[in-house]
C-alpha cells in the first residue's frame, strides 16, 4: 500500500484548475481551442506525471481530437435542458447557470480520459464536479446524447450504468448497484435506461440486470430492482392523509 505521505494531495487544486480550462476549451471555437490546447498541454502532462497516469503524446493527441468533437454533443445537452425546462429562458442561460449541464460536461470530459485508460485523473475531475454541482457521475458510465439533469443535486450514476438518448433525470435520482461487494468490480452492477425515459425526483433504480424500457416515466420516490417494460408509468402510492387539526 502506498504511504500516505507519497500521495500528491497538493495536485487536487491543479486538477480542479485543469478541469475548468478543459470545460472552457470544449465550448470554444476551433481557432481559440488551438491556443488553449497549447497552454493546457504543459499543465496536463505535469499533472499526469505527478499522478503516474502514464500519459503519452499519442494519448494526448487522441484526447485533443475527442475534446474537439465534444462541442456538438454538449450543444445537444444544452438544447435538451432548454427544451425540457420551462424555467430556462435561453440556451445561453443553460451554459452559464445550470449545474446539471456543468456536471454532464465534466462527465463527458472525464469519460474521454476513462476510455483512454488514463487512471486517477478522470475520477479526480468527476469528484471536482461532484463537489461543485452535487451530482456524482462516474466517468465509466455510458451516456447518450441530449441528456438533461434538472436541479442536479443528489444525483448518483454508477460506473456501469448505461443511459441511452433523450433521457431526463431529476434531483435525488440514484442509478446504483443492488450489492456493494469488491468481487463484483468487473461485472455490470448498474441499470440501463433506454431512450426517451424520464425519471422523477428521488427515484432509486438498482441492479445491473435492470432495464428501464423506452418511453417510460418513472415517478418520484419509487424503488426499482426489476426491469420495466417500454412505455410504462411507474408511480409510488402514498398513504399521506390530510385532516383538520
Amino acid at each position: 500500500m502506498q504511504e500516505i505521505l507519497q500521495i500528491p494531495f497538493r495536485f487536487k487544486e491543479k486538477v480542479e484548475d485543469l478541469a475548468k480550462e478543459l470545460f472552457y476549451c470544449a465550448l470554444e471555437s476551433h481557432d481559440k481551442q488551438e491556443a488553449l490546447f497549447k497552454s493546457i498541454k504543459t499543465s496536463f502532462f505535469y499533472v499526469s506525471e505527478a499522478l503516474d497516469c502514464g500519459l503519452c503524446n499519442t494519448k494526448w493527441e487522441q484526447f485533443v481530437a475527442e475534446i474537439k468533437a465534444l462541442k456538438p454533443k454538449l450543444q445537444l445537452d444544452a438544447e435538451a435542458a432548454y427544451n425540457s425546462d420551462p424555467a430556462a429562458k435561453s440556451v445561453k442561460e443553460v451554459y452559464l447557470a445550470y449545474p446539471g449541464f456543468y456536471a454532464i460536461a465534466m462527465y463527458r470530459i472525464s469519460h474521454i480520459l476513462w476510455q483512454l485508460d488514463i487512471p486517477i485523473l478522470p475520477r479526480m475531475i468527476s469528484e471536482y464536479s461532484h463537489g461543485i454541482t452535487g451530482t456524482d457521475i462516474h466517468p465509466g458510465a455510458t451516456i447518450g446524447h441530449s441528456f438533461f439533469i434538472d436541479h442536479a443535486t443528489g444525483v448518483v450514476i454508477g460506473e456501469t450504468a448505461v443511459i441511452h438518448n433523450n433521457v431526463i433525470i431529476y434531483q435525488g435520482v440514484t442509478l446504483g448497484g443492488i450489492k456493494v461487494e469488491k468481487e463484483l468490480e468487473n461485472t455490470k452492477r448498474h441499470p440501463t435506461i433506454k431512450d426517451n425515459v424520464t425519471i422523477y425526483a428521488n427515484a432509486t433504480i438498482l441492479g445491473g440486470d435492470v432495464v428501464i424500457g423506452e418511453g417510460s416515466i418513472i415517478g418520484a420516490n419509487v424503488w426499482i430492482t426489476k426491469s420495466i417494460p417500454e412505455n410504462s408509468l411507474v408511480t409510488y402510492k402514498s398513504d399521506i392523509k390530510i385532516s383538520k387539526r
Side-chain angles (χ1 to χ4, degrees):
M1 182 178 292
Q2 186 176 15
E3 292 183 13
I4 193 167
L5 293 177
Q6 296 177 342
I7 299 174
F9 290 107
R10 293 180 181 272
F11 280 85
K12 285 179 66 67
E13 289 78 11
K14 293 185 181 298
V15 170
E16 291 170 5
D17 291 340
L18 178 62
K20 294 173 188 176
E21 290 302 313
L22 289 170
F23 172 76
Y24 299 135
C25 185
L27 294 172
E28 282 289 4
S29 65
H30 178 74
D31 291 341
K32 290 183 179 180
Q33 277 185 333
E34 292 300 324
L36 281 170
F37 276 126
K38 288 180 181 179
S39 64
I40 288 172
K41 183 176 181 179
T42 300
S43 61
F44 202 91
F45 272 82
Y46 181 62
V47 167
S48 174
E49 183 178 354
L51 298 173
D52 296 322
C53 290
L55 186 66
C56 61
N57 280 315
T58 300
K59 286 190 176 182
W60 166 254
E61 290 169 2
Q62 292 174 320
F63 178 70
V64 168
E66 291 289 343
I67 291 294
K68 288 180 177 179
L70 199 55
K71 187 175 180 179
K73 297 177 184 178
L74 295 177
Q75 178 71 22
L76 289 175
D77 294 328
E79 289 174 355
Y82 174 70
N83 292 331
S84 301
D85 186 2
K89 306 306 179 188
S90 67
V91 174
K92 182 188 293 186
E93 181 182 358
V94 174
Y95 278 117
L96 296 175
Y98 272 51
F101 174 77
Y102 192 76
I104 294 167
M106 287 290 102
Y107 152 75
R108 296 202 185 279
I109 291 168
S110 64
H111 184 65
I112 293 170
L113 294 167
W114 185 266
Q115 290 185 309
L116 290 172
D117 198 28
I118 296 173
I120 303 176
L121 186 55
R123 289 302 308 273
M124 293 182 73
I125 290 176
S126 67
E127 282 308 304
Y128 157 71
S129 175
H130 183 193
I132 295 296
T133 66
T135 300
D136 185 3
I137 309 177
H138 194 287
T142 301
I143 300 177
H145 67 69
S146 302
F147 183 45
F148 174 40
I149 305 175
D150 198 4
H151 303 294
T153 305
V155 170
V156 177
I157 300 174
E159 176 186 7
T160 62
V162 177
I163 299 174
H164 288 244
N165 305 317
N166 302 304
V167 171
I168 301 172
I169 289 178
Y170 286 79
Q171 69 273 16
V173 166
T174 296
L175 304 182
I178 201 164
K179 292 183 180 179
V180 182
E181 298 175 356
K182 188 64 176 177
E183 57 266 29
L184 297 176
E185 62 182 320
N186 295 318
T187 63
K188 188 178 186 305
R189 308 180 304 281
H190 307 97
T192 295
I193 313 299
K194 293 288 191 174
D195 292 348
N196 305 309
V197 169
T198 299
I199 307 174
Y200 282 98
N202 300 313
T204 299
I205 306 173
L206 305 178
D209 295 332
V210 172
V211 177
I212 305 301
E214 182 176 348
S216 293
I217 296 176
I218 308 301
N221 301 311
V222 299
W223 179 282
I224 295 174
T225 57
K226 63 180 181 180
S227 293
I228 302 298
E230 64 180 23
N231 298 315
S232 296
L233 173 62
V234 182
T235 58
Y236 170 75
K237 184 177 180 181
S238 173
D239 290 330
I240 293 175
K241 296 180 180 179
I242 301 174
S243 59
K244 291 184 177 181
R245 296 176 62 185

